[in-house]
Amino acid sequence: MTVSISVFCPTDCFRLEPGVRLRPVPELGHCLAYTPARPALHRLNPSAWLLAELADGRPLAAIAADFGEAMAEIGGEAKLSDVEAALVGLIELGIVGKLATPATEGSQNA
Amino acid sequence: MNPRLTAPPKVAISITEACPLSCKHCYGDCGREARPAELSIGEWREAIARLAADGVISLHIEGGEPLLKPGFLDLLAEASRSMFTMVRTHGTLIDAAMARALRDAGVGRVLVDVMGATGPTHEWFTGAPGSFDASVAAVRHLVACGVATDMLLILTRQNAPEVQDLLDLAAGLGAERVGVLRLYPLGRAKRIWQEIALPLADQMRTLGALRVPAGLTLMQSWHPNDHNCCWQSAAVIANGEIVGCPYLREYVSHGNLRSTTLLEAWRTAPLWQVLRAGAVERSCPDCSAAEGSHGGCRATAYAWHGRWTAPDPFDVTLNDGVDLSVLPDRLLPA
């Protein structure tokens, strides 16, 4: 039996890191993402592009719901674990960040 | 046909034609002083802000020597807030402090030009004693402060025996990539073409013998990587002329930044639309498969054949017996 362990809480909120710029290139089916804090230009596939656009400060549960809805419109599906894995990838690239919650702020300040 | 972009995501600019070196082959025919017609730093800042607003997200800056442009670091810092920036330089002005300043300005990548793997070969081209050691030191300083750094070499008769040594040198210095570039018949290179240009067979032999050290990436645009990048290319030279690609600077003008915007020229300049559409007479299947474009470089195709749709003679499958060590008569300097 496989047990998946979530790396995030459903209430964790995500947004683009400060200064990150997205430049959609719909003609080529991708989006370029520039991360000035760690200067690099990344090419996002449509799934990663959509997640980056959805990361506007809303919580994981809402991102996953909207992402799943978009996938369903094109006949696909998205598991929460897939959304989480993609978010982890975007976080590692410095494109998306997890917003500090009151609890984490408290622990950081402790 | 090529993909059709409604606006260019990437732009190259030649910000100045001032340079402290005196390279025999200089494409821009640069001199010690900036030319009066160059865009001022204020004009460049305004133009770059407009580029960012019009969707440009990657800016390649070259010269001349960009670091000679007064106000360059401030411009770089401003541009790097919204665009991935690359700076092409010969590196002689980059000491440890300048490397840190470039990093702190947010530069994404620095590309350092050399013309050989030894001082005598490099300096035969640059005419500047000590310039090779200074370029090598620049790479060392940039790598030491964490700036992604490439080395570039324009392949010539003089440096062909040293390309492997350059790869080894670059790997030892910690450069990420080496770009071996073709020699273009531009500027002063035309005056000494027969002295420095190699026939295609010798170029291919040189490339074919290379062993790329672990951890280093080799970039080259010969077969099977000869691409026709006009579909996405946008470039402006120091006097504001919009030329599509730096290697087309002697053949085209799509307008001038003093009287139009790059986006407006992109949308309306007839020749630019023709070049971006990518119609060519013949195409190499291997290069097309690898690069997703057709016919190879338009600058060298036009230089040798005088037709925008001609095959690129730098591709072995499209060369048709053209001797690249000899310039066509119409390109010979007066």
Side-chain angles (χ1 to χ4, degrees), chain B residues 44-100:
Chain B
W44 276 120
R45 288 172 82 156
E46 195 177 315
I48 288 168
R50 182 62 187 258
L51 292 176
D54 285 341
V56 174
I57 196 169
S58 176
L59 184 69
H60 174 105
I61 307 171
E62 59 182 35
E65 172 50 57
L67 292 170
L68 277 188
K69 188 74 174 177
F72 175 71
L73 284 174
D74 288 341
L75 174 144
L76 179 66
E78 204 167 281
S80 298
R81 281 198 282 273
S82 57
M83 290 181 271
F84 181 71
T85 52
M86 291 167 282
V87 175
R88 183 174 175 182
T89 169
H90 51 62
T92 63
L93 304 177
I94 301 179
D95 57 10
M98 179 56 77
R100 286 193 297 273

Side-chain angles (χ1 to χ4, degrees), chain B:
Chain B
M1 298 295 274
N2 289 333
R4 284 185 176 274
L5 297 174
T6 54
K10 303 178 182 184
V11 169
I13 63 171
S14 303
I15 198 166
T16 182
E17 288 173 341
C19 182
L21 303 186
S22 306
C23 294
K24 286 182 168 78
H25 66 288
C26 179
Y27 293 163
D29 200 9
C30 297
R32 297 296 166 101
E33 304 294 331
R35 294 195 173 99
E38 278 188 9
L39 297 191
S40 68
I41 197 75
E43 288 175 301
W44 276 120
R45 288 172 82 156
E46 195 177 315
I48 288 168
R50 182 62 187 258
L51 292 176
D54 285 341
V56 174
I57 196 169
S58 176
L59 184 69
H60 174 105
I61 307 171
E62 59 182 35
E65 172 50 57
L67 292 170
L68 277 188
K69 188 74 174 177
F72 175 71
L73 284 174
D74 288 341
L75 174 144
L76 179 66
E78 204 167 281
S80 298
R81 281 198 282 273
S82 57
M83 290 181 271
F84 181 71
T85 52
M86 291 167 282
V87 175
R88 183 174 175 182
T89 169
H90 51 62
T92 63
L93 304 177
I94 301 179
D95 57 10
M98 179 56 77
R100 286 193 297 273
L102 288 164
R103 178 198 62 195
D104 294 345
V107 73
R109 183 172 291 275
V110 176
L111 306 98
V112 179
D113 270 276
V114 292
M115 286 303 289
T118 65
T121 303
H122 177 77
E123 290 160 16
W124 182 83
F125 282 97
T126 66
S131 56
F132 181 73
D133 286 345
S135 295
V136 170
V139 175
R140 199 173 280 123
H141 292 311
L142 290 161
V143 170
C145 69
V147 175
T149 304
D150 297 342
M151 296 183 78
L152 302 178
L153 174 117
I154 297 170
L155 182 61
T156 64
R157 185 179 299 279
Q158 287 73 16
N159 62 33
E162 299 180 7
V163 183
Q164 182 63 52
D165 290 341
L166 178 68
L167 298 188
D168 296 338
L169 173 67
L173 290 169
E176 293 183 2
R177 310 185 298 191
V178 168
V180 179
L181 311 176
R182 63 178 69 178
L183 178 67
Y184 283 86
L186 296 168
R188 297 200 285 263
K190 289 186 292 192
R191 298 184 200 154
I192 55 168
W193 190 262
Q194 280 194 287
E195 192 177 357
I196 64 174
L198 282 172
L200 183 57
D202 292 342
Q203 297 176 32
M204 298 308 294
R205 197 173 302 119
T206 300
L207 293 166
L210 296 178
R211 302 173 313 283
V212 183
L216 188 77
T217 298
L218 172 66
M219 303 179 292
Q220 61 91 1
S221 65
W222 283 264
H223 182 88
N225 301 107
D226 184 19
H227 52 289
N228 174 354
C229 53
C230 280
W231 66 275
Q232 62 169 346
S233 286
V236 185
I237 58 175
N239 61 5
E241 287 294 299
I242 300 166
V243 293
C245 163
Y247 298 128
L248 293 174
R249 72 179 80 194
E250 294 187 9
Y251 312 132
V252 308
S253 170
H254 302 312
N256 190 289
L257 279 191
R258 287 194 170 107
S259 55
T260 187
T261 66
L262 186 122
L263 185 57
E264 182 65 17
W266 177 273
R267 289 176 174 161
T268 61
L271 178 57
W272 209 355
Q273 293 180 46
V274 167
L275 288 169
R276 295 206 312 274
V280 291
E281 295 158 24
R282 279 166 44 222
S283 188
C284 164
D286 296 332
C287 293
S288 296
E291 301 294 332
S293 62
H294 304 284
C297 175
R298 292 301 84 202
T300 43
Y302 185 79
W304 263 270
H305 295 294
R307 305 189 308 280
W308 292 117
T309 55
D312 178 9
F314 275 73
D315 186 314
V316 287
T317 71
L318 303 175
N319 175 266
D320 294 340
V322 171
D323 183 353
L324 294 177
S325 65
V326 178
L327 275 187
D329 287 347
R330 64 189 165 72
L331 292 185
L332 292 172

Side-chain angles (χ1 to χ4, degrees), chain A residues 21 23 25 27-28 32 34 39-40, chain B residues 6-7 52 55-56 80 82-83:
Chain A
R21 183 173 169 215
R23 201 298 192 180
V25 192
E27 304 93 327
L28 303 180
L32 297 171
Y34 172 53
Chain B
T6 54
V56 174
S80 298
S82 57
M83 290 181 271

Side-chain angles (χ1 to χ4, degrees), chain A residues 16-83:
Chain A
L16 290 183
E17 287 286 12
V20 167
R21 183 173 169 215
L22 299 180
R23 201 298 192 180
V25 192
E27 304 93 327
L28 303 180
H30 67 237
C31 179
L32 297 171
Y34 172 53
T35 53
R38 282 185 272 156
L41 195 61
H42 304 282
R43 184 184 297 182
L44 306 184
N45 65 27
S47 295
W49 173 9
L50 175 57
L51 278 176
E53 296 279 6
L54 290 172
D56 59 359
R58 72 183 81 183
L60 173 63
I63 291 174
D66 288 349
F67 186 81
E69 200 173 298
M71 289 295 108
E73 281 178 16
I74 56 171
E77 60 175 339
K79 289 185 281 191
L80 179 62
S81 57
D82 295 335
V83 172

